[in-house]
Structures are given as structure tokens and as C-alpha cells.
Amino acid sequence: MTMRIGRCGVVALLLGASLTLAACDGSSSGDGKRPAAVAEASASPSAPRDFDVEQALASANSNPYSAEIKRVTRFDTIGLAVVDGRLNLPGKATGTLTVRIYDSPISKASRSRVVLTRTHTYVKVEEGENAGGWKKGGRQTGSPLPDLHGYAELLLAQGPSARKGIDGAADGVPAQKLSGEIPVGKLEKIDPSLYKMARQIGLESFACDVWVDDKGRVLKLVQWAGHSSGGSVTVQTDLSDLDDPVEVEPPTGN
């Protein structure tokens, strides 16, 4: 499979279509092999508790909650970008995020703040090109995150080979790990921004891991693709500190 990742392609992987305006101002090919750092990334909890991941996903409810979000994009061990903050989930996410893009061959350094309300996206570039006050835009997608539950369901459908057993996820919470390769054609509904980008660059599939807790919530998603230089571009999303939903108000001032 062939993959060409420019700056906005990385940002699309990071943020989803609704947030690319926060950081965007474009070669690589992948073999689908898991980077060693990703394969060894999770730590086993001190007292793992087994559960049926299929039953957990099937019984997951849609009760609202909030979570700390951290989404990191790396080329091998080099950090390209970090998105972190707190979001209300599931469904149409609201919350506040900080977007940091680091200097690299495909990006220029910047730092932005993002506020997501039910109806609008507010972006303030604090450092870098186009720094200035708050800019208001519409909500083009429901969430800056992909459908994490959808990713877990796609991997679960691949059968026993995708089930890797109990493992540690965010904060060492016991979780079932699912692992496999997903065809791009399966992503149109669960990750539309990645689906569109992958179709444009000719990517047919990519590898990913997810970690699911006993309530059927995905606490971690890791996606990666190989690069022509021999390294890998990796995007890791972690959810932690799950709690009640938080109030989100539009920003005031400059």
C-alpha cells in the first residue's frame, strides 16, 4: 500500500475534519508492520480482572461522561503534534482542547486553543503563524475523535485472532486489547476524515490496536502506517479520568 502524508494529512489524522482549521496553514509508503514502541506501550495492571470484551461492547450504554483526552502523533520517537484537553462524550463532543504542532519537515510550530460547543467551534492560535484572537466556525462533524466504539467493533468482527487478552490501558485500568488491520473502506462512517484522506492518497488499509474496559468504553486507540524512510507514523489516543460531564461555554475576550 502507498501512503503520502503531508502536513494537513497528519493534522487530519490528529484532529478530524472539524479541527483542521486550528493547525493547517505534503511522501511515504507503509508495510503495515507494528512499530516496536507501540507493541510494548501498555503496562499490565497490578491485579488484572478478566471479562468478556464482546459482552462489554454489546452492553455499553450512551450515558454521557467526560474524559481527559490526549492524542499524540509521532514519527518513530519524534513528536509531531499533541492534542489534549477534556471532552464530553459520547456523541457530539463538547469541551476544550489545546493543539500543539511541533517543528518538523512537514509542519511549522504552533499552539492553539479550541473550544467546542454544541453549535460552534472556537479557535485561538496563540503561537505560530496567524496568531491572534478567537475565530468562530460551525460544527462540521460530531466529534474531533473518531468513533472509538466503531473501531473496537470492526476489530472484534475479525474473530479470535484479534483478541489479545487482558492488558493495561489509561491509568493501568484493566482492559481487553483488540488488534488487527482495518480496510479503509470500513471507515466511512466511523472515521470520515481519515477515510477521505486515505482514499485521496491511495491507502488501502492500516493497522490499529484498541483497549476496551469492562463497561465497553474504549480507553486507548493506536493507529499507524509505515513511512518510505523505514520508520512509522503513529497516532495514539488515550482517554483517562472518566467523570461526570463538564459545562462548556463560548470563550470571551480576545
Side-chain angles (χ1 to χ4, degrees), residues 18-253:
S18 66
L19 296 187
T20 20
L21 62 95
C24 269
D25 294 339
S27 122
S28 61
S29 64
D31 58 9
K33 293 182 179 178
R34 178 184 289 101
V38 173
E40 301 169 1
S42 58
S44 297
S46 57
R49 180 169 59 84
D50 203 3
F51 60 90
D52 187 326
V53 64
E54 183 173 7
Q55 183 177 353
L57 287 168
S59 61
N61 59 49
S62 58
N63 291 341
Y65 63 94
S66 68
E68 289 293 322
I69 307 296
K70 188 170 186 179
R71 192 160 168 85
V72 180
T73 296
R74 297 184 180 92
F75 176 69
D76 286 344
T77 59
I78 300 171
L80 298 179
V82 176
V83 179
D84 57 11
R86 193 164 195 90
L87 291 178
N88 293 319
L89 302 167
K92 192 170 187 176
T94 59
T96 58
L97 298 169
T98 299
V99 181
R100 299 175 183 87
I101 307 293
Y102 300 110
D103 268 325
S104 77
I106 60 171
S107 63
K108 295 181 180 180
S110 67
R111 173 190 168 100
S112 304
R113 291 167 58 198
V114 180
V115 176
L116 296 170
T117 68
R118 296 290 296 177
T119 55
H120 293 92
T121 300
Y122 301 85
V123 177
K124 181 178 183 180
V125 180
E126 297 180 318
E127 300 175 10
E129 294 181 2
N130 303 316
W134 287 102
K135 295 183 179 180
K136 178 180 176 181
R139 290 293 301 268
Q140 300 301 317
T141 61
S143 174
L145 298 180
D147 180 352
L148 302 176
H149 191 276
Y151 269 100
E153 292 283 5
L154 286 177
L155 290 173
L156 187 66
Q158 294 182 10
S161 64
R163 302 189 186 200
K164 304 304 179 183
I166 201 77
D167 202 347
D171 297 332
V173 175
Q176 290 279 352
K177 181 180 177 181
L178 300 170
S179 181
E181 189 159 328
I182 296 180
V184 165
K186 299 282 188 179
L187 301 182
E188 187 171 8
K189 292 184 178 180
I190 68 168
D191 201 345
S193 60
L194 177 56
Y195 171 77
K196 291 177 182 177
M197 187 198 74
R199 290 289 299 272
Q200 290 172 352
I201 62 182
L203 181 64
E204 296 178 357
S205 64
F206 65 94
C208 70
D209 297 333
V210 300
W211 285 257
V212 182
D213 73 2
D214 61 357
K215 295 182 174 61
R217 299 174 300 197
V218 174
L219 302 181
K220 182 189 293 186
L221 167 67
V222 181
Q223 304 155 282
W224 67 91
H227 192 276
S228 58
S229 67
S232 293
V233 175
T234 306
V235 183
Q236 177 169 325
T237 304
D238 289 275
L239 280 66
S240 61
D241 189 23
L242 278 60
D243 207 338
D244 293 334
V246 296
E247 291 188 12
V248 182
E249 298 291 340
T252 58

